[in-house]
Amino acid sequence: MTGGTRTAVIASWALLSPALIASIVFFAAPLVYLVVDSFRAFSLTAGVGGFTLGNYSRILGDAYYLRVLGDTFRLAAMTTALCLILGYPLALLLRAAPPRLKALMVIAVIAPLLVSVVVRSFGWVVILGEFGLLNQALRLLGVTAGFASTSHLFTEAAVIVGLVHVFLPFMVLALYSALQKQEARLVRAARSLGASTLRAFIAVTLPLSVPGIVAGTTTVFALAAGSYVTVSVLGGSKVMVIAILAYQQSIGLTNWQLGAAIGIVLLIGTTLILQLYQATLRRLFPRVLAV
Amino acid sequence: MKALFAYGGVLMVALALPILVVVIGSLTAGDRIAFPPEGVSLRWYRAFLDSPEFIESARTSLEIAGLTSLVSGIAGGLAALGLARTRFRGGGLVETLLTLPLAIPSIALGLACLIFYTALDLAGSKLALGLRAYDRDHAVRHSAGARQSGGA
């Protein structure tokens, strides 16, 4: 594509203007306002006060907040890793499947996205509860003591299971779109030169799919780090993440300013981690990840 | 290859399972959602339809969903068209701005909109909720993605 003519460029800007105005009014302006608000003081007695760094020093100086921040990113990282491990074979399968089966599988992967996160998380409550489907199945298999007679809810494992379920479709779609762009003859060439299936996968398919891996892991990590519903349904009060803390402070305790600062810390933390991650991968795979 | 297909089958069942469990569980005649359900009945659906609050909430949900799809469909569709037609200075920046909301934790954005619209005295209105939902505008992203792979 070359640069358009003047009229074409003007037409493009005209087409873009509704979305741009919407982005500014509904996205950029509130976000700027959030940043400003996060620097303001608040007390229950005096209300909103002047500008201060107090909200940030409170978050960064409090061991509890820091631990929750760490837990949030750890849960997000584990969710991302599991989505990648579980999703990659599925994406390979999607690529290999004959057209009719492929269409069916794409629907099966996308369909959960059409169901609200609340419903999907609640489904896991029914499965993982003390008298849930999982324990019933275990009892049928003859396991009665210990593991099969306790609730699996309100644990980190339950939260991770729920998060993986919610975000797996994003990962599979990102991986599939990268795999689909690869030329099948590259693998055939590797095979004809004597590489085993595994060798061809490691030397050709896997490195070429790195852009898809980056896209999928980045999306899943960002979404998982900010997830609220799944964590509160499956983690109860036992698993605390930064999104729940921000909500408690702002809605529960009406301290919007501290809530805003928590939101900003999450945003900056997520961005820093993802930038570092992408920079590392760019260094490891300079050829496939050229900017 | 067979193992891969078996794995895919198991995983797809696992993806569907929590949803199926809720659907089947909702037909229970008992007082709690359990699997298998304690008898089959539509009593909870009747309870839903008999409750003005639930009906009102459902209406609100549908209004917000409709408003959001309409606005983001039109604005997002036009934007994707604008980005795809010609390449121009600033196009990449615009695309980044339009897709950025996806990368921002929704709790931060939700809070941002709440504080901002409260300052404007709009909070709690359906308009504000609809505007907020617009931020998760996937329309631009999908159309823009199609543009890239389609090589317009």
Side-chain angles (χ1 to χ4, degrees), chain A residues 200-256:
Chain A
F201 173 77
I202 292 172
V204 179
T205 310
L206 191 60
L208 283 177
S209 69
V210 166
I213 295 177
V214 172
T217 48
T218 305
T219 312
V220 171
F221 185 85
L223 291 173
S227 60
Y228 173 86
V229 175
T230 308
V231 183
S232 47
V233 171
L234 293 171
S237 56
K238 294 283 166 56
V239 183
M240 188 51 80
V241 292
I242 212 77
I244 298 180
L245 271 188
Y247 182 84
Q248 282 177 351
Q249 281 299 334
S250 44
I251 309 297
L253 303 170
T254 69
N255 191 343
W256 291 6

Side-chain angles (χ1 to χ4, degrees), chain B residues 21-88:
Chain B
V21 160
V22 173
V23 172
I24 297 171
S26 72
L27 295 168
T28 184
D31 286 329
R32 60 193 182 93
I33 188 162
F35 203 93
E38 302 153 0
V40 179
S41 99
L42 290 174
R43 65 178 281 211
W44 293 110
Y45 287 88
R46 157 158 296 189
F48 179 93
L49 293 172
D50 284 345
S51 155
E53 291 112 70
F54 278 118
I55 297 291
E56 187 53 37
S57 322
R59 188 197 303 267
T60 308
S61 296
L62 287 179
E63 279 173 14
I64 292 170
L67 184 69
T68 309
S69 322
L70 194 71
V71 174
S72 56
I74 293 172
L78 289 178
L81 209 60
L83 283 171
R85 286 181 70 216
T86 36
R87 173 157 293 191
F88 52 94

Side-chain angles (χ1 to χ4, degrees), chain A residues 68-97:
Chain A
V68 173
L69 199 63
D71 285 349
T72 304
F73 292 134
R74 188 171 47 82
L75 280 175
M78 287 164 82
T79 302
T80 309
L82 274 171
C83 279
L84 181 61
I85 294 167
L86 290 172
Y88 205 103
L90 197 59
L92 282 176
L93 194 60
L94 267 179
R95 185 180 63 161

Side-chain angles (χ1 to χ4, degrees), chain B residues 17-18 55 73 125 129:
Chain B
L17 193 64
I55 297 291
S125 69
L129 285 173

Side-chain angles (χ1 to χ4, degrees), chain B residues 30 41 65 68 80 92 97-98 100-101 116-117 129 140 148 150:
Chain B
S41 99
T68 309
L97 174 72
L98 293 181
L100 197 60
F116 185 65
Y117 296 139
L129 285 173
V140 178
Q148 277 154 7

Side-chain angles (χ1 to χ4, degrees), chain A residues 16-65:
Chain A
L16 280 167
S17 56
L20 277 177
I21 293 169
S23 277
I24 290 163
V25 179
F26 311 146
F27 169 61
L31 209 58
V32 170
Y33 200 85
L34 183 79
V35 174
V36 174
D37 221 38
S38 71
F39 285 106
R40 304 193 72 171
F42 174 85
S43 78
L44 276 174
T45 45
V48 180
F51 287 94
T52 169
L53 286 171
N55 294 324
Y56 288 98
S57 64
R58 183 167 159 195
I59 297 166
L60 300 175
D62 188 327
Y64 177 68
Y65 281 107

